[in-house]
Amino acid sequence: MLTLSLNISLIIMSLSILVCFIRVVKGPTMSDRVVALDTIGITLIGVIGIVMIIQNTLAYAEVILVIAILAFIGTIALAKFIEGGVIFDRDHN
Amino acid sequence: MIEIIISLLVLLGGFLSLLGAIGIVRFPDVYGRLHAATKSATLGVISTMLAVYVHFHFVEGLFSGKVLLTILFVFLTAPVAGFMIARSAYNVGVELWDQSTQDDLKKAFEKKAKAKKARS
Protein backbone atom coordinates (compact mmCIF):
# COMPACT_ATOMS: atom_id res chain seq x y z
CA MET A 1 0.00 0.00 0.00
CA LEU A 2 2.81 2.41 0.83
CA THR A 3 4.60 1.58 -2.43
CA LEU A 4 1.42 2.06 -4.45
CA SER A 5 0.63 5.45 -2.93
CA LEU A 6 4.25 6.57 -3.35
CA ASN A 7 4.15 5.66 -7.04
CA ILE A 8 0.78 7.36 -7.55
CA SER A 9 1.99 10.53 -5.87
CA LEU A 10 5.22 10.53 -7.88
CA ILE A 11 3.25 10.29 -11.13
CA ILE A 12 0.88 13.07 -10.04
CA MET A 13 3.77 15.37 -9.11
CA SER A 14 5.51 14.74 -12.43
CA LEU A 15 2.28 15.59 -14.23
CA SER A 16 1.95 18.84 -12.31
CA ILE A 17 5.53 19.81 -13.23
CA LEU A 18 4.63 19.17 -16.88
CA VAL A 19 1.47 21.27 -16.57
CA CYS A 20 3.43 24.14 -15.00
CA PHE A 21 5.89 23.93 -17.89
CA ILE A 22 3.01 24.64 -20.29
CA ARG A 23 2.51 27.95 -18.48
CA VAL A 24 6.25 28.71 -18.67
CA VAL A 25 6.17 28.31 -22.46
CA LYS A 26 2.79 29.96 -23.06
CA GLY A 27 2.64 32.70 -20.41
CA PRO A 28 1.51 36.07 -21.77
CA THR A 29 3.72 38.17 -19.48
CA MET A 30 7.07 37.64 -17.80
CA SER A 31 5.46 37.47 -14.35
CA ASP A 32 3.46 34.39 -15.34
CA ARG A 33 6.67 32.64 -16.27
CA VAL A 34 8.30 33.55 -12.96
CA VAL A 35 5.29 32.21 -11.01
CA ALA A 36 5.35 28.95 -12.95
CA LEU A 37 9.12 28.52 -12.50
CA ASP A 38 8.77 29.08 -8.74
CA THR A 39 6.06 26.42 -8.59
CA ILE A 40 8.22 24.00 -10.59
CA GLY A 41 11.03 24.46 -8.06
CA ILE A 42 8.71 23.88 -5.12
CA THR A 43 7.17 20.77 -6.68
CA LEU A 44 10.66 19.40 -7.41
CA ILE A 45 11.32 19.44 -3.66
CA GLY A 46 8.31 17.16 -3.16
CA VAL A 47 9.48 14.79 -5.92
CA ILE A 48 12.91 14.40 -4.31
CA GLY A 49 11.24 13.83 -0.92
CA ILE A 50 9.24 10.92 -2.35
CA VAL A 51 12.41 9.52 -3.96
CA MET A 52 13.98 9.68 -0.49
CA ILE A 53 11.23 7.45 0.92
CA ILE A 54 11.40 5.04 -2.04
CA GLN A 55 15.18 4.59 -1.91
CA ASN A 56 15.15 4.65 1.91
CA THR A 57 18.08 7.02 2.27
CA LEU A 58 18.71 10.37 3.91
CA ALA A 59 21.41 11.38 1.43
CA TYR A 60 19.20 13.80 -0.50
CA ALA A 61 18.38 16.11 2.43
CA GLU A 62 21.12 18.56 1.43
CA VAL A 63 19.92 18.46 -2.17
CA ILE A 64 16.45 19.49 -1.03
CA LEU A 65 17.79 22.37 1.05
CA VAL A 66 19.95 23.68 -1.80
CA ILE A 67 17.07 23.47 -4.28
CA ALA A 68 14.78 25.37 -1.87
CA ILE A 69 17.35 28.14 -1.36
CA LEU A 70 18.11 28.44 -5.08
CA ALA A 71 14.43 28.58 -6.02
CA PHE A 72 13.81 31.34 -3.47
CA ILE A 73 16.82 33.45 -4.50
CA GLY A 74 16.08 32.96 -8.19
CA THR A 75 12.48 34.07 -7.76
CA ILE A 76 13.48 37.18 -5.80
CA ALA A 77 16.17 38.09 -8.36
CA LEU A 78 13.82 37.63 -11.32
CA ALA A 79 11.09 39.67 -9.64
CA LYS A 80 13.51 42.54 -8.97
CA PHE A 81 14.89 42.23 -12.50
CA ILE A 82 11.54 42.54 -14.29
CA GLU A 83 10.60 45.41 -11.99
CA GLY A 84 13.41 47.78 -12.77
CA GLY A 85 16.43 45.98 -14.12
CA VAL A 86 18.33 46.69 -10.88
CA ILE A 87 18.87 43.66 -8.63
CA PHE A 88 21.13 45.13 -5.95
CA ASP A 89 20.04 48.69 -5.29
CA ARG A 90 22.22 50.46 -2.77
CA ASP A 91 20.59 53.90 -2.49
CA HIS A 92 18.09 53.80 0.35
CA ASN A 93 16.01 56.92 0.05
CA MET B 1 -0.72 2.02 11.22
CA ILE B 2 2.23 4.31 10.61
CA GLU B 3 2.23 3.26 6.95
CA ILE B 4 -1.35 4.46 6.57
CA ILE B 5 -0.44 7.87 7.98
CA ILE B 6 2.57 8.15 5.63
CA SER B 7 0.44 7.09 2.64
CA LEU B 8 -2.25 9.65 3.46
CA LEU B 9 0.28 12.46 3.84
CA VAL B 10 2.02 11.56 0.57
CA LEU B 11 -1.27 11.31 -1.34
CA LEU B 12 -2.41 14.64 0.13
CA GLY B 13 0.85 16.21 -1.00
CA GLY B 14 0.44 14.94 -4.56
CA PHE B 15 -3.19 16.06 -4.70
CA LEU B 16 -2.37 19.58 -3.49
CA SER B 17 0.49 19.89 -6.00
CA LEU B 18 -1.89 18.88 -8.77
CA LEU B 19 -4.39 21.51 -7.56
CA GLY B 20 -1.67 24.15 -7.70
CA ALA B 21 -0.70 23.18 -11.25
CA ILE B 22 -4.33 23.23 -12.43
CA GLY B 23 -4.77 26.64 -10.83
CA ILE B 24 -1.67 27.96 -12.60
CA VAL B 25 -3.01 26.90 -15.97
CA ARG B 26 -6.66 27.78 -15.48
CA PHE B 27 -6.77 31.07 -13.56
CA PRO B 28 -7.19 34.21 -15.68
CA ASP B 29 -4.48 36.62 -14.47
CA VAL B 30 -1.16 36.73 -12.61
CA TYR B 31 -2.65 37.64 -9.25
CA GLY B 32 -5.05 34.71 -9.36
CA ARG B 33 -2.28 32.34 -10.38
CA LEU B 34 -0.23 33.48 -7.41
CA HIS B 35 -2.97 32.24 -5.08
CA ALA B 36 -2.68 28.74 -6.51
CA ALA B 37 1.12 28.78 -6.57
CA THR B 38 1.83 30.13 -3.10
CA LYS B 39 -0.87 28.39 -1.10
CA SER B 40 -1.73 25.00 -2.45
CA ALA B 41 1.63 23.94 -3.91
CA THR B 42 3.44 25.05 -0.75
CA LEU B 43 1.05 23.13 1.50
CA GLY B 44 1.52 20.06 -0.71
CA VAL B 45 5.29 20.19 -0.32
CA ILE B 46 5.02 20.71 3.44
CA SER B 47 2.75 17.66 3.67
CA THR B 48 5.15 15.53 1.62
CA MET B 49 8.17 16.54 3.70
CA LEU B 50 6.20 15.80 6.87
CA ALA B 51 5.64 12.30 5.47
CA VAL B 52 9.41 11.97 4.89
CA TYR B 53 10.12 13.03 8.47
CA VAL B 54 7.53 10.63 9.92
CA HIS B 55 8.89 7.76 7.83
CA PHE B 56 12.49 8.23 8.90
CA HIS B 57 11.60 8.89 12.53
CA PHE B 58 9.14 6.09 13.23
CA VAL B 59 10.14 3.41 10.73
CA GLU B 60 13.91 3.79 10.52
CA GLY B 61 14.51 5.40 13.90
CA LEU B 62 16.60 8.22 12.47
CA PHE B 63 16.19 11.84 13.45
CA SER B 64 16.69 14.24 10.55
CA GLY B 65 16.90 17.90 11.39
CA LYS B 66 17.49 18.90 7.79
CA VAL B 67 14.05 17.73 6.72
CA LEU B 68 12.44 19.79 9.50
CA LEU B 69 14.62 22.74 8.45
CA THR B 70 13.35 22.34 4.88
CA ILE B 71 9.74 22.48 6.09
CA LEU B 72 10.48 25.66 8.06
CA PHE B 73 12.34 27.25 5.14
CA VAL B 74 9.62 26.56 2.57
CA PHE B 75 6.98 27.75 5.03
CA LEU B 76 8.84 31.04 5.56
CA THR B 77 10.02 31.86 2.03
CA ALA B 78 7.09 30.94 -0.23
CA PRO B 79 4.87 33.88 0.93
CA VAL B 80 7.81 36.28 0.57
CA ALA B 81 8.45 35.12 -3.00
CA GLY B 82 4.76 35.42 -3.87
CA PHE B 83 4.62 38.93 -2.42
CA MET B 84 7.69 40.01 -4.41
CA ILE B 85 6.28 38.66 -7.68
CA ALA B 86 2.92 40.38 -7.08
CA ARG B 87 4.57 43.71 -6.28
CA SER B 88 6.85 43.63 -9.32
CA ALA B 89 3.95 42.59 -11.57
CA TYR B 90 1.84 45.51 -10.35
CA ASN B 91 4.70 47.98 -10.74
CA VAL B 92 5.49 46.79 -14.25
CA GLY B 93 1.85 47.23 -15.19
CA VAL B 94 0.43 43.76 -15.66
CA GLU B 95 -3.31 44.23 -15.98
CA LEU B 96 -5.93 42.71 -13.74
CA TRP B 97 -8.59 40.40 -15.12
CA ASP B 98 -11.14 42.43 -17.08
CA GLN B 99 -13.98 41.22 -14.84
CA SER B 100 -12.36 42.13 -11.53
CA THR B 101 -14.21 44.95 -9.82
CA GLN B 102 -11.93 46.46 -7.18
CA ASP B 103 -8.37 47.81 -7.23
CA ASP B 104 -7.45 49.15 -3.81
CA LEU B 105 -3.75 49.60 -4.54
CA LYS B 106 -4.49 52.01 -7.39
CA LYS B 107 -6.51 54.22 -5.03
CA ALA B 108 -3.66 54.15 -2.50
CA PHE B 109 -1.14 55.16 -5.19
CA GLU B 110 -3.36 58.05 -6.34
CA LYS B 111 -3.75 59.28 -2.76
CA LYS B 112 0.01 59.18 -2.24
CA ALA B 113 0.67 61.08 -5.49
CA LYS B 114 -1.88 63.73 -4.52
CA ALA B 115 -0.27 64.20 -1.10
CA LYS B 116 3.15 64.55 -2.71
CA LYS B 117 1.88 67.17 -5.14
CA ALA B 118 0.22 69.17 -2.34
CA ARG B 119 3.45 69.18 -0.36
CA SER B 120 5.68 70.45 -3.16
Short mmCIF file of all heavy atoms in Angstrom, two decimals, chain A residues 30-31 33-39 41-42 65-83 87-88, chain B residues 73 77 80-82 84-85 88:
data_model
loop_
_atom_site.label_atom_id
_atom_site.label_comp_id
_atom_site.label_asym_id
_atom_site.label_seq_id
_atom_site.Cartn_x
_atom_site.Cartn_y
_atom_site.Cartn_z
N MET A 30 5.90 38.23 -18.46
CA MET A 30 7.07 37.64 -17.80
C MET A 30 6.73 37.17 -16.39
O MET A 30 7.30 36.20 -15.91
CB MET A 30 8.15 38.73 -17.77
CG MET A 30 9.53 38.21 -17.63
SD MET A 30 10.04 37.29 -19.05
CE MET A 30 11.47 36.52 -18.34
N SER A 31 5.78 37.84 -15.72
CA SER A 31 5.46 37.47 -14.35
C SER A 31 4.84 36.08 -14.27
O SER A 31 5.09 35.33 -13.33
CB SER A 31 4.50 38.50 -13.75
OG SER A 31 5.05 39.77 -13.83
N ARG A 33 5.59 33.62 -16.16
CA ARG A 33 6.67 32.64 -16.27
C ARG A 33 7.42 32.51 -14.95
O ARG A 33 7.80 31.40 -14.55
CB ARG A 33 7.63 33.06 -17.37
CG ARG A 33 6.99 33.04 -18.72
CD ARG A 33 8.01 33.17 -19.82
NE ARG A 33 7.36 33.01 -21.11
CZ ARG A 33 6.94 34.01 -21.85
NH1 ARG A 33 7.12 35.25 -21.44
NH2 ARG A 33 6.35 33.79 -22.99
N VAL A 34 7.60 33.62 -14.24
CA VAL A 34 8.30 33.55 -12.96
C VAL A 34 7.48 32.75 -11.95
O VAL A 34 8.02 31.92 -11.21
CB VAL A 34 8.61 34.95 -12.44
CG1 VAL A 34 9.32 34.88 -11.12
CG2 VAL A 34 9.47 35.69 -13.41
N VAL A 35 6.16 32.96 -11.93
CA VAL A 35 5.29 32.21 -11.01
C VAL A 35 5.38 30.72 -11.30
O VAL A 35 5.53 29.88 -10.40
CB VAL A 35 3.83 32.70 -11.14
CG1 VAL A 35 2.92 31.83 -10.33
CG2 VAL A 35 3.71 34.11 -10.68
N ALA A 36 5.33 30.37 -12.60
CA ALA A 36 5.35 28.95 -12.95
C ALA A 36 6.71 28.32 -12.63
O ALA A 36 6.77 27.18 -12.16
CB ALA A 36 5.02 28.78 -14.43
N LEU A 37 7.79 29.07 -12.83
CA LEU A 37 9.12 28.52 -12.50
C LEU A 37 9.27 28.32 -11.00
O LEU A 37 9.86 27.32 -10.56
CB LEU A 37 10.21 29.47 -13.00
CG LEU A 37 10.57 29.32 -14.47
CD1 LEU A 37 11.59 30.36 -14.83
CD2 LEU A 37 11.15 27.95 -14.72
N ASP A 38 8.72 29.23 -10.20
CA ASP A 38 8.77 29.08 -8.74
C ASP A 38 8.01 27.83 -8.32
O ASP A 38 8.47 27.06 -7.48
CB ASP A 38 8.17 30.33 -8.10
CG ASP A 38 8.28 30.29 -6.60
OD1 ASP A 38 9.35 29.92 -6.13
OD2 ASP A 38 7.31 30.63 -5.92
N THR A 39 6.84 27.61 -8.95
CA THR A 39 6.06 26.42 -8.59
C THR A 39 6.76 25.14 -9.02
O THR A 39 6.68 24.12 -8.32
CB THR A 39 4.68 26.51 -9.21
OG1 THR A 39 4.16 27.79 -8.94
CG2 THR A 39 3.76 25.48 -8.65
N GLY A 41 10.00 24.71 -9.07
CA GLY A 41 11.03 24.46 -8.06
C GLY A 41 10.46 23.87 -6.79
O GLY A 41 11.05 22.95 -6.21
N ILE A 42 9.29 24.38 -6.37
CA ILE A 42 8.71 23.88 -5.12
C ILE A 42 8.23 22.44 -5.28
O ILE A 42 8.39 21.61 -4.39
CB ILE A 42 7.60 24.84 -4.66
CG1 ILE A 42 8.23 26.11 -4.12
CG2 ILE A 42 6.75 24.22 -3.60
CD1 ILE A 42 7.24 27.10 -3.64
N LEU A 65 17.54 21.03 0.49
CA LEU A 65 17.79 22.37 1.05
C LEU A 65 18.36 23.31 0.00
O LEU A 65 17.93 24.47 -0.12
CB LEU A 65 18.75 22.27 2.22
CG LEU A 65 18.10 22.23 3.60
CD1 LEU A 65 19.16 22.11 4.65
CD2 LEU A 65 17.31 23.49 3.81
N VAL A 66 19.32 22.82 -0.80
CA VAL A 66 19.95 23.68 -1.80
C VAL A 66 18.93 24.07 -2.87
O VAL A 66 18.90 25.24 -3.32
CB VAL A 66 21.18 22.99 -2.40
CG1 VAL A 66 21.69 23.74 -3.59
CG2 VAL A 66 22.26 22.90 -1.37
N ILE A 67 18.07 23.13 -3.27
CA ILE A 67 17.07 23.47 -4.28
C ILE A 67 16.09 24.52 -3.74
O ILE A 67 15.72 25.46 -4.45
CB ILE A 67 16.32 22.22 -4.75
CG1 ILE A 67 17.22 21.41 -5.65
CG2 ILE A 67 15.08 22.57 -5.52
CD1 ILE A 67 16.58 20.17 -6.16
N ALA A 68 15.70 24.38 -2.45
CA ALA A 68 14.78 25.37 -1.87
C ALA A 68 15.41 26.75 -1.85
O ALA A 68 14.79 27.75 -2.24
CB ALA A 68 14.39 24.94 -0.45
N ILE A 69 16.68 26.83 -1.44
CA ILE A 69 17.35 28.14 -1.36
C ILE A 69 17.52 28.74 -2.75
O ILE A 69 17.28 29.94 -2.97
CB ILE A 69 18.70 27.99 -0.64
CG1 ILE A 69 18.46 27.63 0.82
CG2 ILE A 69 19.48 29.27 -0.70
CD1 ILE A 69 19.70 27.22 1.54
N LEU A 70 17.91 27.90 -3.73
CA LEU A 70 18.11 28.44 -5.08
C LEU A 70 16.81 28.90 -5.71
O LEU A 70 16.78 29.93 -6.41
CB LEU A 70 18.78 27.38 -5.97
CG LEU A 70 20.27 27.22 -5.76
CD1 LEU A 70 20.81 26.20 -6.72
CD2 LEU A 70 20.97 28.53 -5.97
N ALA A 71 15.71 28.16 -5.46
CA ALA A 71 14.43 28.58 -6.02
C ALA A 71 14.01 29.92 -5.43
O ALA A 71 13.53 30.82 -6.15
CB ALA A 71 13.36 27.52 -5.75
N PHE A 72 14.21 30.09 -4.11
CA PHE A 72 13.81 31.34 -3.47
C PHE A 72 14.65 32.52 -4.00
O PHE A 72 14.10 33.56 -4.39
CB PHE A 72 13.98 31.21 -1.96
CG PHE A 72 13.76 32.47 -1.21
CD1 PHE A 72 12.52 33.09 -1.26
CD2 PHE A 72 14.76 33.04 -0.47
CE1 PHE A 72 12.30 34.26 -0.56
CE2 PHE A 72 14.55 34.20 0.22
CZ PHE A 72 13.33 34.81 0.16
N ILE A 73 15.97 32.34 -4.06
CA ILE A 73 16.82 33.45 -4.50
C ILE A 73 16.57 33.77 -5.96
O ILE A 73 16.54 34.94 -6.37
CB ILE A 73 18.29 33.11 -4.22
CG1 ILE A 73 18.52 33.07 -2.72
CG2 ILE A 73 19.20 34.15 -4.81
CD1 ILE A 73 19.90 32.69 -2.35
N GLY A 74 16.36 32.72 -6.78
CA GLY A 74 16.08 32.96 -8.19
C GLY A 74 14.79 33.71 -8.40
O GLY A 74 14.71 34.62 -9.25
N THR A 75 13.75 33.36 -7.61
CA THR A 75 12.48 34.07 -7.76
C THR A 75 12.61 35.53 -7.36
O THR A 75 12.11 36.42 -8.05
CB THR A 75 11.42 33.38 -6.89
OG1 THR A 75 11.38 32.02 -7.24
CG2 THR A 75 10.08 34.00 -7.10
N ILE A 76 13.31 35.80 -6.24
CA ILE A 76 13.48 37.18 -5.80
C ILE A 76 14.26 37.97 -6.85
O ILE A 76 13.90 39.11 -7.20
CB ILE A 76 14.21 37.21 -4.45
CG1 ILE A 76 13.36 36.55 -3.38
CG2 ILE A 76 14.52 38.64 -4.04
CD1 ILE A 76 12.16 37.31 -3.01
N ALA A 77 15.34 37.37 -7.38
CA ALA A 77 16.17 38.09 -8.36
C ALA A 77 15.39 38.36 -9.64
O ALA A 77 15.47 39.47 -10.19
CB ALA A 77 17.42 37.28 -8.66
N LEU A 78 14.59 37.39 -10.10
CA LEU A 78 13.82 37.63 -11.32
C LEU A 78 12.75 38.68 -11.11
O LEU A 78 12.50 39.50 -11.99
CB LEU A 78 13.19 36.32 -11.81
CG LEU A 78 14.12 35.44 -12.61
CD1 LEU A 78 13.45 34.13 -12.90
CD2 LEU A 78 14.45 36.11 -13.91
N ALA A 79 12.13 38.67 -9.90
CA ALA A 79 11.09 39.67 -9.64
C ALA A 79 11.69 41.07 -9.63
O ALA A 79 11.15 42.01 -10.23
CB ALA A 79 10.39 39.37 -8.31
N LYS A 80 12.86 41.22 -8.98
CA LYS A 80 13.51 42.54 -8.97
C LYS A 80 13.96 42.93 -10.38
O LYS A 80 13.92 44.10 -10.75
CB LYS A 80 14.72 42.52 -8.04
CG LYS A 80 14.38 42.35 -6.58
CD LYS A 80 13.74 43.57 -6.00
CE LYS A 80 14.79 44.60 -5.66
NZ LYS A 80 14.18 45.76 -5.00
N PHE A 81 14.38 41.94 -11.16
CA PHE A 81 14.89 42.23 -12.50
C PHE A 81 13.79 42.73 -13.42
O PHE A 81 13.97 43.71 -14.15
CB PHE A 81 15.54 40.97 -13.09
CG PHE A 81 16.00 41.13 -14.48
CD1 PHE A 81 17.08 41.94 -14.77
CD2 PHE A 81 15.35 40.48 -15.51
CE1 PHE A 81 17.49 42.10 -16.06
CE2 PHE A 81 15.77 40.64 -16.80
CZ PHE A 81 16.84 41.45 -17.08
N ILE A 82 12.60 42.07 -13.39
CA ILE A 82 11.54 42.54 -14.29
C ILE A 82 10.91 43.81 -13.77
O ILE A 82 10.19 44.48 -14.49
CB ILE A 82 10.46 41.48 -14.53
CG1 ILE A 82 9.72 41.16 -13.25
CG2 ILE A 82 11.03 40.24 -15.13
CD1 ILE A 82 8.57 40.22 -13.47
N GLU A 83 11.18 44.17 -12.50
CA GLU A 83 10.60 45.41 -11.99
C GLU A 83 11.36 46.62 -12.50
O GLU A 83 10.78 47.56 -13.01
CB GLU A 83 10.60 45.37 -10.47
CG GLU A 83 9.84 46.52 -9.84
CD GLU A 83 9.84 46.40 -8.36
OE1 GLU A 83 10.52 45.50 -7.85
OE2 GLU A 83 9.18 47.20 -7.71
N ILE A 87 19.07 44.73 -9.61
CA ILE A 87 18.87 43.66 -8.63
C ILE A 87 19.40 44.07 -7.27
O ILE A 87 18.73 43.93 -6.26
CB ILE A 87 19.54 42.37 -9.14
CG1 ILE A 87 18.83 41.90 -10.39
CG2 ILE A 87 19.44 41.29 -8.10
CD1 ILE A 87 19.45 40.73 -11.03
N PHE A 88 20.62 44.61 -7.22
CA PHE A 88 21.13 45.13 -5.95
C PHE A 88 21.02 46.64 -6.00
O PHE A 88 21.82 47.30 -6.67
CB PHE A 88 22.60 44.74 -5.77
CG PHE A 88 22.81 43.27 -5.71
CD1 PHE A 88 23.33 42.60 -6.79
CD2 PHE A 88 22.50 42.57 -4.58
CE1 PHE A 88 23.52 41.25 -6.74
CE2 PHE A 88 22.70 41.22 -4.53
CZ PHE A 88 23.21 40.56 -5.61
N PHE B 73 11.86 26.32 6.17
CA PHE B 73 12.34 27.25 5.14
C PHE B 73 11.29 27.48 4.07
O PHE B 73 11.02 28.63 3.69
CB PHE B 73 13.62 26.68 4.52
CG PHE B 73 14.33 27.64 3.65
CD1 PHE B 73 15.13 28.62 4.19
CD2 PHE B 73 14.20 27.59 2.28
CE1 PHE B 73 15.78 29.51 3.39
CE2 PHE B 73 14.84 28.48 1.48
CZ PHE B 73 15.63 29.45 2.03
N THR B 77 9.62 31.11 3.22
CA THR B 77 10.02 31.86 2.03
C THR B 77 8.99 31.87 0.92
O THR B 77 9.05 32.76 0.07
CB THR B 77 11.33 31.30 1.45
OG1 THR B 77 11.12 29.93 1.17
CG2 THR B 77 12.45 31.48 2.39
N VAL B 80 6.97 35.14 0.94
CA VAL B 80 7.81 36.28 0.57
C VAL B 80 8.00 36.33 -0.94
O VAL B 80 7.90 37.40 -1.57
CB VAL B 80 9.16 36.19 1.31
CG1 VAL B 80 10.03 37.34 0.92
CG2 VAL B 80 8.95 36.17 2.79
N ALA B 81 8.26 35.16 -1.54
CA ALA B 81 8.45 35.12 -3.00
C ALA B 81 7.17 35.52 -3.72
O ALA B 81 7.21 36.29 -4.70
CB ALA B 81 8.88 33.71 -3.42
N GLY B 82 6.02 35.05 -3.24
CA GLY B 82 4.76 35.42 -3.87
C GLY B 82 4.49 36.91 -3.77
O GLY B 82 4.04 37.55 -4.73
N MET B 84 6.78 39.29 -3.52
CA MET B 84 7.69 40.01 -4.41
C MET B 84 7.23 39.95 -5.86
O MET B 84 7.28 40.94 -6.59
CB MET B 84 9.10 39.43 -4.30
CG MET B 84 9.79 39.70 -3.00
SD MET B 84 10.16 41.41 -2.74
CE MET B 84 11.45 41.64 -3.92
N ILE B 85 6.75 38.77 -6.29
CA ILE B 85 6.28 38.66 -7.68
C ILE B 85 5.06 39.55 -7.89
O ILE B 85 4.95 40.23 -8.91
CB ILE B 85 5.94 37.20 -8.02
CG1 ILE B 85 7.15 36.32 -7.91
CG2 ILE B 85 5.43 37.09 -9.43
CD1 ILE B 85 6.81 34.87 -8.02
N SER B 88 6.17 43.28 -8.07
CA SER B 88 6.85 43.63 -9.32
C SER B 88 5.88 43.60 -10.49
O SER B 88 5.97 44.43 -11.39
CB SER B 88 8.02 42.70 -9.56
OG SER B 88 7.57 41.46 -9.96
#
